[in-house]
Structures are given as structure tokens and as C-alpha cells.
Amino acid sequence: MSITITAFERSPDGGKGMARDMRVRWALEEVGQPYEVRPVSFAAMKAPAHRRVQPFGQIPTFEDGEVALFESGAIVLHVATCHPGLLPADPAARARAISWMFAAVGTVEPVIMDREAAEYLEHEEPWFAPRLRAAEDRIRGRLTDLSRRLGDADWLDGAFSAGDLMMADVLRRLGGSALLAEHPNLGAYVDRAEARPAFRRAFDAQRAFFEAHQPAPQQLPRHRSG
């Protein structure tokens, strides 16, 4: 059965691949599985039809005729489990790769998203400056631990795996920030991940999807000169 995932009809990230459908696209490209993308408007995300698959009214979702899934981490794990290429064959190494997947979405991503939420929602509040410093201190703590663990290795645990895919995609949210620049090995790690052909295919596909679903430019009414 063909695979269909959902994505924002008009992504607020401006086509930068920060929405979480990006990591699902990337995983499918890594394992060589074709897929279709169904655009979902913000209104449709909250409608009953979408909530039957995604109870919280978000994207992405995944459907292949046999299973319907939500949550990007669960989708990537399903893809990696069903198709070779993203999880090691050795049981212990496979378990470690899955641990890194959970670390990406459960340990590193929440502190990054907390900073983003503060910037979007609290930037005009009188407590914003100390709030932002606290959020960034938490990110620095996570990045320091991750940088120490990665060291001078290319990937987190041997060959590239779904754990690296998820972690690199999470770290991409810090791209260009001073926080990531404090750890050159992490910046290089993200660069290596983004240089993978599967990532480039996924990024180009989501960029084309974004551009195809932008509203047509409005034409100004013509006025006769007087």
C-alpha cells in the first residue's frame, strides 16, 4: 500500500523544513520508500476527520493502509523498524539507536522548544529576559552533555542511524544560533546530517511542497490614469 503523510498546507516556517513532517520525509528517503503528502490546513487539523488519526490536531500523520500513526518519533521508529537502513541489525546496537531517538524528542527537543515558546509568546513581558536566560542555560546543559558524548565521532553510536536522524533534526532548530556555535562538533554533526543525499531529497521535496501551496499573489486593481 502507498504511504501518505500529512504536512502543513502553509507551513509557518517559510519552507525551512522545521515542521516535524521533515523528519518523516527524511526517514522515508533514507529507506527508499515512496510517499505522498496530503496538505492540511490549520482548520482541518482540528476537524474530527484529522483528529481520528491525530487526537491532538497536529501534523504529521502516517497512513499506509495497514496502520495509521501520529507523533513524528513513533512514525520514524515504525519506518526504521519496517525497512532496513536506519537501525542496526545487532540487537544491542539497535536498542542504543532507539535510546538516542527517545533522547532527541524527550530530553533535547523540549528545552529547545521551551526557548522558542518564550520568544514567540513572552517577548513583550517584563520577565522575558530572565526567562530567556534560564531557557538558554537549560539548552546549554543538554548541548554540553551531548557534545561530550559525541566527541570527535561522526555519529552518536557507530554508523548513522534513526537516532542520529532524530537528534540532528532537533538540533537543526538551533541552526545559526550562538548556542550551537559554542560546540563546533555539534555544528559539524548537523552539517554532516544535512549533507546526506536522503536529507537533501527530503528538504527539496518539502521546499517544493511549501512553494506549491503558497497563495497566489494578488493583483492590484488597474486604475485609468486621469
Side-chain angles (χ1 to χ4, degrees), residues 111-140:
V111 294
I112 294 174
M113 295 305 298
D114 182 56
R115 173 179 177 260
E116 290 188 14
E119 290 179 323
Y120 292 149
L121 303 176
E122 302 174 49
H123 62 278
E124 294 183 353
E125 301 294 347
W127 61 78
F128 175 66
R131 168 81 166 85
L132 184 63
R133 283 196 299 270
E136 292 185 341
D137 284 345
R138 287 191 289 272
I139 294 172
R140 284 189 173 93

Side-chain angles (χ1 to χ4, degrees), residues 7-222:
F8 287 124
E9 183 179 61
R10 295 178 185 171
S11 179
D13 71 357
K16 296 177 181 178
M18 296 299 167
R20 289 179 178 85
D21 63 284
M22 179 62 198
R23 58 190 61 163
V24 176
R25 293 171 182 266
W26 184 5
L28 290 167
E29 293 288 352
E30 288 282 355
V31 300
Q33 288 298 303
Y35 60 96
E36 297 177 358
V37 183
R38 184 173 71 248
V40 182
S41 69
F42 289 106
M45 283 195 298
K46 307 304 179 183
H50 186 72
R51 284 186 183 272
R52 278 195 289 272
V53 179
Q54 221 301 353
F56 304 103
Q58 300 173 319
I59 59 97
T61 60
F62 170 103
E63 297 178 81
D64 66 359
E66 295 182 357
V67 64
L69 297 174
F70 65 100
E71 289 296 328
S72 60
I75 296 170
V76 172
L77 179 57
H78 175 73
V79 170
T81 301
C82 292
H83 305 283
L86 279 173
L87 288 176
D90 175 71
R94 175 176 289 238
R96 291 194 301 271
I98 293 171
S99 292
W100 282 115
M101 293 182 67
F102 277 80
V105 297
T107 300
V108 180
E109 188 170 40
V111 294
I112 294 174
M113 295 305 298
D114 182 56
R115 173 179 177 260
E116 290 188 14
E119 290 179 323
Y120 292 149
L121 303 176
E122 302 174 49
H123 62 278
E124 294 183 353
E125 301 294 347
W127 61 78
F128 175 66
R131 168 81 166 85
L132 184 63
R133 283 196 299 270
E136 292 185 341
D137 284 345
R138 287 191 289 272
I139 294 172
R140 284 189 173 93
R142 298 302 191 201
L143 295 185
T144 297
D145 292 339
L146 183 63
S147 174
R148 184 182 300 116
R149 178 57 183 263
L150 178 65
D152 59 1
D154 284 346
W155 308 115
L156 290 168
D157 193 278
F160 178 86
S161 74
D164 294 296
L165 185 153
M166 294 295 293
M167 188 65 76
D169 194 59
V170 166
L171 294 180
R172 290 181 62 241
R173 305 193 76 91
L174 296 174
S177 76
L179 291 166
L180 192 61
E182 291 171 5
H183 299 281
N185 66 332
L186 294 184
Y189 172 72
V190 174
D191 290 344
R192 280 191 296 276
E194 290 184 332
R196 293 180 67 82
F199 175 88
R200 300 313 313 172
R201 290 193 299 270
F203 184 88
D204 291 345
Q206 69 80 32
R207 179 68 184 181
F209 181 87
F210 169 80
E211 292 175 349
H213 289 85
Q214 292 309 292
Q218 294 184 348
Q219 292 185 343
L220 296 175
R222 294 182 179 179

Side-chain angles (χ1 to χ4, degrees), residues 221-226:
R222 294 182 179 179
H223 297 281
R224 293 177 183 269
S225 60

